[in-house]
């Protein structure tokens, strides 16, 4: 078994909070947020990250929203946004790449790079790590931690272990198994496997590493086998450096500031085309571009636009127009309000990729490419949210699971509800084959026409015998759905039933406070 390469991991504690603070100062405008205020990032009713001030008041990651507010009434709640975290992390990557190329962002807030090159240049692994941390601190990224070890997995946990201790923690070559052994299985960052191992009595990484690899592969598959290798100190992953964006910044200034978004987009078209050609000559494509617009009053609107494939010149011009349309609207989310005419537009490649990886395929590429081209051109005419594509998200109610996103937009400002997370109160499978956008009113009665309702204890006042005059031949339920009980305006209490009528049709019926409703039909 080969020994993993030495890796330096850079961990940015509470990165979602840091990203919010940096972004609101540059992109959001409006109310300034004190970095010392207690702040919590929330998603799906739970805390996903919090600031040091919030932790000091008793707020913890994974805590329910209302529990966090009870612990700290002054808590500032902010919606989590993975796209915002990724945009802000580009700045940190640029600082690191100026000192040592070859960095890889594992996720927002965690970056790794090979240790050999920096260690030889700076005269040792610890000196190399400190040489990376000092410029990050000068750039406003405080309390960054570094871990150095064999392999990505061990280096990441060494960086986490540096919290509350010196900023650099080094695990000696060959010492990964001993360092990892006492860590809990929750360190695998896989809640499902960690819960499974705990039920088996496997509570530490050392216990997990002692299991036979073939048995792990049989029960947990290749993913479990990779985790087993990491827990054994033999992480097979290699650092894959990202391609740093070239220094190809372009800017256009208007001697007479322009007022209309269409005027700005038309005037900037030549600059955008030159910008796009320069990136192409370097053998690259742009997958994320930073657009900065400054008006004649000195106000800025700055945003990083990401593309799931790569930008062409026309799509960048569209992004300039959409950003101006958003920034010209007071209170537009995620953008500073521009009050004057546009004085300049600046373009910076924020993320690039090798052009060879984006060449069209010889077979099977035509229809998809034509569809993409058609939808993109329609979007250019109708606006950013003029063309929407549906996707299935998470949620408790069926209507919440359908999410509409702007076509081909990889940087939507709202976080995606993850489907595979546990959603207490969600309807179990099988789900209805048809979901009504607007629930249909229904009349459900018990025997002899008695009212069929659900009392305060969640019990039926009468068994359902008819639905809209048709005899009910079978039924199941109720499944309670209680949401936002603390909010008198948005609270919802309902009970769902599956009803089959005498014609064989199966319905998803909901008993709400204002009567019976049909939300879907089973195929």
């Amino acid at each position: 078994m080969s020994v993993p390469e030495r890796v330096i991991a850079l961990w940015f504690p509470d990165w979602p909070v840091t990203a919010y603070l940096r972004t609101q100062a540059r992109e959001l405008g409006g109310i300034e947020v004190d970095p010392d205020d207690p702040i919590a990032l929330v998603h799906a009713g739970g805390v996903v990250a919090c600031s040091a001030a919030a932790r000091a008041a008793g707020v913890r990651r994974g805590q329910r929203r209302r529990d966090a507010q009870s612990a700290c009434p002054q808590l500032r709640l902010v919606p989590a946004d993975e796209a915002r975290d990724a945009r802000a992390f580009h700045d940190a990557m640029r600082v690191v790449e100026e000192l040592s190329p070859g960095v890889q962002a594992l996720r927002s807030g965690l970056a790794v790079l090979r240790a050999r090159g920096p260690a030889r240049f700076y005269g040792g692994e610890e000196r190399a790590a400190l040489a990376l941390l000092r410029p990050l601190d000068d750039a406003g990224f405080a309390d960054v931690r570094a871990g150095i070890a064999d392999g990505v997995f061990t280096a990441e946990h060494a960086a986490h272990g540096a919290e509350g201790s010196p900023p650099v923690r080094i695990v000696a070559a060959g010492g990964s198994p001993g360092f990892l052994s006492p860590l809990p299985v929750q360190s695998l960052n896989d809640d499902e496997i960690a819960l499974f191992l705990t039920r088996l009595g496997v509570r530490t990484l050392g216990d997990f590493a002692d299991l036979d690899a073939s048995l792990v592969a049989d029960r947990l598959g290749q993913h479990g086998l990779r985790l087993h290798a990491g827990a054994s100190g033999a992480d097979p992953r290699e650092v894959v450096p990202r391609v740093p964006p070239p220094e190809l910044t372009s800017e256009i200034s208007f001697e007479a500031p322009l007022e209309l978004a269409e005027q700005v987009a038309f005037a900037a078209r030549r600059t955008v085309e030159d910008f796009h050609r320069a990136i192409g000559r370097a053998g690259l494509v742009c997958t994320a571009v930073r657009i900065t617009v400054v008006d004649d009053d000195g106000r800025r609107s700055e945003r990083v636009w990401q593309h799931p494939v790569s930008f062409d010149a026309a799509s960048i011009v569209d992004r300039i127009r959409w950003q101006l349309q958003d920034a010209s609207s007071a209170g537009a989310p995620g953008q500073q309000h521009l009050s004057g005419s546009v004085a300049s537009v600046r373009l910076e490649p924020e993320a690039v990729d090798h052009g060879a990886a984006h060449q069209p395929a010889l077979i099977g590429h035509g229809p998809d490419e034509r569809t993409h081209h058609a939808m993109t051109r329609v979007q250019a005419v109708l606006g950013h949210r003029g063309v929407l594509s549906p996707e299935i998200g998470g949620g408790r109610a069926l209507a919440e699971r359908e999410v509409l996103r702007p076509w081909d937009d990889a940087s939507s400002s709202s976080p995606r509800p993850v489907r595979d997370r546990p959603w207490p109160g969600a309807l179990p499978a099988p789900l209805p084959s048809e979901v009504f956008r607007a629930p249909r009113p229904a009349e459900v009665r018990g025997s002899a026409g008695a009212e069929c309702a659900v009392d305060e204890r969640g019990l039926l006042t009468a068994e359902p015998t008819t639905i809209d005059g048709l005899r009910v031949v079978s039924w199941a339920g109720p499944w309670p759905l209680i949401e936002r009980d603390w909010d008198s305006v948005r609270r919802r209490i309902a009970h769902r039933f599956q009803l089959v009528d005498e014609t064989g049709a199966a319905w998803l019926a909901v008993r709400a406070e204002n009567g019976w409703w049909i939300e879907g039909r089973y195929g």
Side-chain angles (χ1 to χ4, degrees):
M1 182 174 59
S2 60
V3 178
E5 62 183 347
R6 299 289 286 176
V7 173
I8 300 176
L10 300 174
W11 175 52
F12 298 70
D14 305 327
W15 177 254
V17 178
T18 303
Y20 166 70
L21 292 173
R22 293 180 68 88
T23 303
Q24 65 86 29
R26 189 170 59 194
E27 295 182 9
L28 300 182
I31 301 174
E32 291 293 329
V33 179
D34 188 344
D36 295 327
D37 286 349
I39 302 171
L41 279 294
V42 295
H43 177 59
V47 176
V48 298
C50 58
S51 64
R55 278 195 300 274
V59 180
R60 295 292 180 268
R61 182 181 177 183
Q63 200 172 32
R64 300 300 300 171
R65 174 175 178 160
R66 53 185 171 184
D67 295 335
Q69 289 178 303
S70 298
C72 181
Q74 299 81 24
L75 185 66
R76 178 184 292 272
L77 296 176
V78 180
D81 187 346
E82 294 180 0
R84 178 181 63 214
D85 299 344
R87 291 197 303 267
F89 202 52
H90 285 304
D91 293 339
M93 292 297 93
R94 288 165 56 177
V95 174
V96 177
E97 285 170 340
E98 289 178 358
L99 300 167
S100 180
V103 64
Q104 176 189 3
L106 289 183
R107 59 179 180 269
S108 299
L110 179 65
V112 294
L113 66 160
R114 297 186 180 98
R116 181 179 178 183
R120 294 179 64 181
F121 182 81
Y122 291 104
E125 292 177 341
E126 184 175 6
R127 290 184 179 181
L130 292 173
L132 297 173
L133 295 182
R134 280 191 290 267
L136 287 170
D137 187 69
D138 294 339
F141 301 99
D143 300 325
V144 182
R145 303 286 170 170
I148 306 173
D150 297 336
V152 173
F153 184 81
T154 309
E156 174 186 350
H157 286 85
H160 282 273
E163 187 175 13
S165 60
V168 179
R169 185 171 187 175
I170 301 177
V171 179
S176 295
F179 170 77
L180 295 172
S181 180
L183 299 181
V185 291
Q186 285 74 18
S187 303
L188 295 171
N189 295 325
D190 189 311
D191 294 338
E192 185 176 350
I193 289 182
L195 179 60
F196 172 72
L197 293 174
T198 302
R199 288 175 175 173
L200 293 179
V202 179
R203 302 186 181 280
T204 66
L205 296 186
D207 296 337
F208 185 37
D210 290 338
L211 298 178
D212 185 85
S214 61
L215 297 178
V216 172
D218 290 341
R219 186 64 180 86
L220 302 178
Q222 291 300 313
H223 175 60
L225 192 60
R226 285 191 294 269
L227 294 179
H228 181 265
S232 306
D235 187 359
R237 289 179 296 172
E238 296 181 355
V239 176
V240 181
R242 78 164 187 162
V243 181
E247 294 295 333
L248 295 173
T249 300
S250 296
E251 184 171 0
I252 180 173
S253 299
F254 308 111
E255 294 183 2
L258 303 178
E259 296 183 0
L260 302 179
E262 292 295 336
Q263 292 177 327
V264 176
F266 180 80
R269 184 176 296 275
R270 176 64 62 86
T271 301
V272 171
E273 291 174 350
D274 293 342
F275 171 78
H276 182 261
R277 280 195 295 267
I279 294 177
R281 285 194 296 268
L284 303 171
V285 293
C286 182
T287 58
V289 60
R290 182 188 297 274
I291 300 177
T292 305
V293 181
V294 181
D295 66 11
D296 53 1
D297 291 331
R299 288 180 170 266
R300 293 159 50 100
S301 169
E302 184 170 346
R303 177 171 178 179
V304 175
W305 293 86
Q306 295 179 313
H307 198 287
V309 185
S310 62
F311 283 108
D312 58 14
S315 60
I316 296 177
V317 172
D318 290 338
R319 266 61 176 186
I320 294 175
R321 183 188 303 110
W322 297 338
Q323 183 166 328
L324 287 170
Q325 291 170 348
D326 287 344
S328 299
S329 304
Q335 294 294 317
Q336 179 166 326
H337 176 49
L338 299 181
S339 59
S341 302
V342 176
S344 66
V345 176
R346 180 183 178 90
L347 305 173
E348 300 175 70
E350 197 66 24
V352 295
D353 197 3
H354 292 291
H358 294 261
Q359 293 298 321
L362 293 176
I363 300 175
H365 193 76
D368 291 340
E369 181 63 24
R370 288 195 294 271
T371 300
H372 169 75
H373 179 75
M375 294 297 101
T376 301
R377 299 324 303 159
V378 173
Q379 188 182 37
V381 175
L382 300 181
H384 187 213
R385 298 193 62 84
V387 180
L388 304 176
S389 57
E391 64 180 45
I392 299 177
R396 297 176 179 86
L398 295 176
E400 294 175 353
R401 292 172 57 84
E402 180 182 294
V403 182
L404 297 177
R405 303 283 179 187
W407 173 262
D408 228 2
D409 187 2
S411 60
S412 182
S413 59
S414 57
R416 284 168 163 75
V418 182
R419 284 189 289 176
D420 56 0
R421 288 182 180 174
W423 291 93
L427 192 70
L431 299 176
S433 58
E434 181 181 2
V435 178
F436 305 134
R437 290 184 178 273
R440 303 176 181 178
E443 183 178 12
V444 178
R445 292 286 180 180
S447 59
E451 181 182 7
C452 185
V454 179
D455 61 23
E456 295 180 352
R457 301 178 62 186
L459 301 176
L460 278 169
T461 58
E463 292 189 5
T465 58
T466 61
I467 175 172
D468 291 336
L470 298 175
R471 183 170 56 87
V472 173
V473 296
S474 63
W475 61 277
W479 292 287
L481 178 61
I482 303 174
E483 295 184 301
R484 297 179 288 272
D485 194 37
W486 62 91
D487 190 333
S488 60
V489 177
R490 302 170 59 212
R491 68 189 293 267
R492 182 189 183 194
I493 300 178
H495 294 79
R496 290 164 295 185
F497 295 79
Q498 293 172 333
L499 304 176
V500 180
D501 62 30
E502 58 185 317
T503 67
W507 307 94
L508 175 64
V510 178
R511 171 65 188 193
E513 294 175 316
N514 57 345
W516 283 90
W517 301 86
I518 300 296
E519 285 194 347
R521 176 169 52 194
Y522 292 89

